[in-house]
Amino acid sequence: MNVTRVLTGITTTGTPHLGNLVGAIRPAIAASKRADVDAYLFLADLHALIKSSDPLAVAQSSREIAATWLALGLDPAQVHFYRQSDIPEITELSWVLTCNAAKGLMNRAHAYKAAVHANQDAGEDPDFGITMGLFSYPVLMAADILIFNAHEVPVGRDQIQHVEMARDIAQRFNHNFGDIFTLPKAVVDDNVSVLQGLDGRKMSKSYGNTIPLFGTEKQLKKGINKIKTNLLEPGEAKDPHDSTVFQLWCAFADEAEREFMRQAFLDGIGWGEAKTQLFERVNDELAPARERYRQLIDDPQQLEAILQAGAERLRPHSATLLARVRDAVGLRPYA
Ligand code: TRP
């Protein structure tokens, strides 16, 4: 059987929320179980340094995200699960690629351009607050992908350009130094659900409208109670399609339950009651994972061991590829 190497990274900033579960974690774990896929899932902690200079936050987010994925069923025996910073070949490859990647290509990166425009709009120097890390972000991402010769890279729309840049960088390197890299392809799943947040916009840490995944039961309840609704009273029919409460319900319910709630909306279920039912449904699903999450967070040694094992299993591969790259560019032993 031809296996497809499918690789994706998660930038370790912030605390995982329900939107991450529905939009990224669930589909990635499901995909990793396919027999024809060799899955690579890593914590992009070097990328986190671009966004945060708070050491405690960097360390904590990495741990929370690792524990979250494991608690939700990622099987480290089945998936290559590792920390980017535990694979030093990635950083070394990143430098070699930096020396070969066109600066003009990086100038076109959306994330960098957005930062420059924000500065210009604010009347600042265009480079204000922009680090070399932000500018070179796509090169490091290319190294992540190319070090394991990934075929497919599942990403959100905002990351397609970066995967295309990785492909460009690989192509140029292959042209200059010989056929070393597989050309990766971005894969965007249009069926991935985008969960609405408390205010009805996309649930996102940058909007501050999230419901954390593994807070306490009480915090989950509080979060759900904060979801914005309209002023319709109990007994008045409500439009399910215009409701964050209903949308969240659907993300956790099966077909019959969805139909049941749709009818309840049309029959005028009160917002308080709908939220109580939503809380119970979400909590039923999260409670066992929350328990596992707690155990993992409280046992950092176990977490550490899992990630170390993940890196150890991969380093022979990254080392082999890097040795070829070194040789190709002329970093060779004298004898
Ligand atoms: N930049 C990605 C994001 O913010 C995370 C990431 C880092 C990544 N390296 C990657 C994704 C390599 C896919 C492949 O979402």
Side-chain angles (χ1 to χ4, degrees):
M1 184 168 33
N2 267 343
V3 293
T4 306
R5 285 184 296 277
V6 178
L7 176 145
T8 201
I10 311 121
T11 303
T12 52
T13 51
T15 293
H17 54 73
L18 291 182
N20 299 137
L21 170 66
V22 171
I25 304 176
R26 256 194 211 151
I29 290 179
S32 73
K33 300 203 156 125
R34 280 170 40 198
D36 57 338
V37 160
D38 190 15
Y40 294 70
L41 209 137
F42 70 95
L43 303 164
D45 53 354
L46 297 172
H47 277 105
L49 299 183
I50 297 168
K51 298 186 181 160
S52 172
S53 50
D54 174 350
L56 287 179
V58 166
Q60 168 148 344
S61 173
S62 173
R63 227 175 56 207
E64 287 181 357
I65 293 176
T68 296
W69 283 76
L70 292 166
L72 289 166
L74 179 103
D75 177 1
Q78 218 174 25
V79 179
H80 297 291
F81 187 52
Y82 57 102
R83 259 184 316 225
Q84 187 184 28
S85 63
D86 286 336
I87 312 275
E89 291 80 12
I90 293 175
T91 1
E92 188 171 338
L93 176 60
S94 180
W95 177 253
V96 175
L97 297 177
T98 297
C99 294
N100 186 61
K103 174 169 179 287
L105 183 67
M106 296 304 109
N107 287 341
R108 291 197 288 277
H110 299 316
Y112 166 69
K113 275 178 30 185
V116 171
H117 287 152
N119 280 335
Q120 282 163 340
D121 292 347
E124 295 281 0
D125 184 278
D127 286 331
F128 178 74
I130 298 181
T131 63
M132 285 305 295
L134 177 65
F135 187 66
S136 309
Y137 177 116
V139 186
L140 178 59
M141 185 157 156
D144 294 333
I145 297 169
L146 303 179
I147 193 84
F148 297 120
N149 275 329
H151 299 103
E152 294 184 1
V153 185
V155 283
R157 296 210 159 275
D158 61 319
Q159 296 291 322
I160 297 176
Q161 187 197 29
H162 292 147
V163 181
E164 283 169 357
M165 287 179 162
R167 195 183 168 87
D168 281 350
I169 290 171
Q171 216 153 17
R172 181 169 164 131
F173 188 95
N174 286 352
H175 177 76
N176 289 339
F177 300 106
D179 225 3
I180 293 199
F181 296 125
T182 302
L183 302 185
K185 197 168 79 210
V187 183
V188 179
D189 184 351
D190 283 316
N191 297 319
V192 160
S193 350
V194 174
L195 210 60
Q196 293 165 16
L198 299 176
D199 56 0
R201 291 187 294 172
K202 174 187 171 180
M203 191 181 286
S204 160
K205 66 189 163 206
S206 45
Y207 294 148
N209 63 357
T210 66
I211 301 178
L213 250 174
F214 293 133
T216 60
E217 203 163 281
K218 223 166 136 189
Q219 286 166 331
L220 178 64
K221 186 162 205 141
K222 242 172 101 183
I224 287 175
N225 280 334
K226 275 198 293 200
I227 296 171
K228 205 172 115 194
T229 57
N230 57 29
L231 296 173
L232 292 172
E233 298 287 338
E236 292 183 275
K238 298 177 179 64
D239 180 2
H241 299 292
D242 174 40
S243 163
T244 303
V245 175
F246 185 70
Q247 197 228 15
L248 247 163
W249 172 268
C250 287
F252 286 86
D254 65 24
E255 208 38 64
E257 290 166 326
R258 288 179 193 181
E259 182 46 34
F260 162 82
M261 189 56 83
R262 205 182 62 80
Q263 195 56 50
F265 265 63
L266 301 179
D267 293 345
I269 186 173
W271 286 121
E273 175 59 21
K275 285 179 171 180
T276 299
Q277 294 204 23
L278 174 62
F279 162 73
E280 278 164 13
R281 188 68 194 80
V282 175
N283 192 49
D284 278 351
E285 176 151 334
L286 290 186
R290 184 190 293 126
E291 184 63 30
R292 286 193 297 274
Y293 176 81
R294 277 284 135 226
Q295 285 166 6
L296 287 160
I297 279 288
D298 293 342
D299 185 359
Q301 271 161 3
Q302 186 193 351
L303 264 185
E304 186 63 35
I306 292 171
L307 286 159
Q308 288 303 333
E312 252 166 61
R313 196 148 53 104
L314 281 174
R315 285 211 46 213
H317 299 284
S318 50
T320 302
L321 186 111
L322 187 68
R324 289 179 64 204
V325 167
R326 281 174 146 258
D327 181 70
V329 299
L331 300 173
R332 296 174 186 154
Y334 297 150

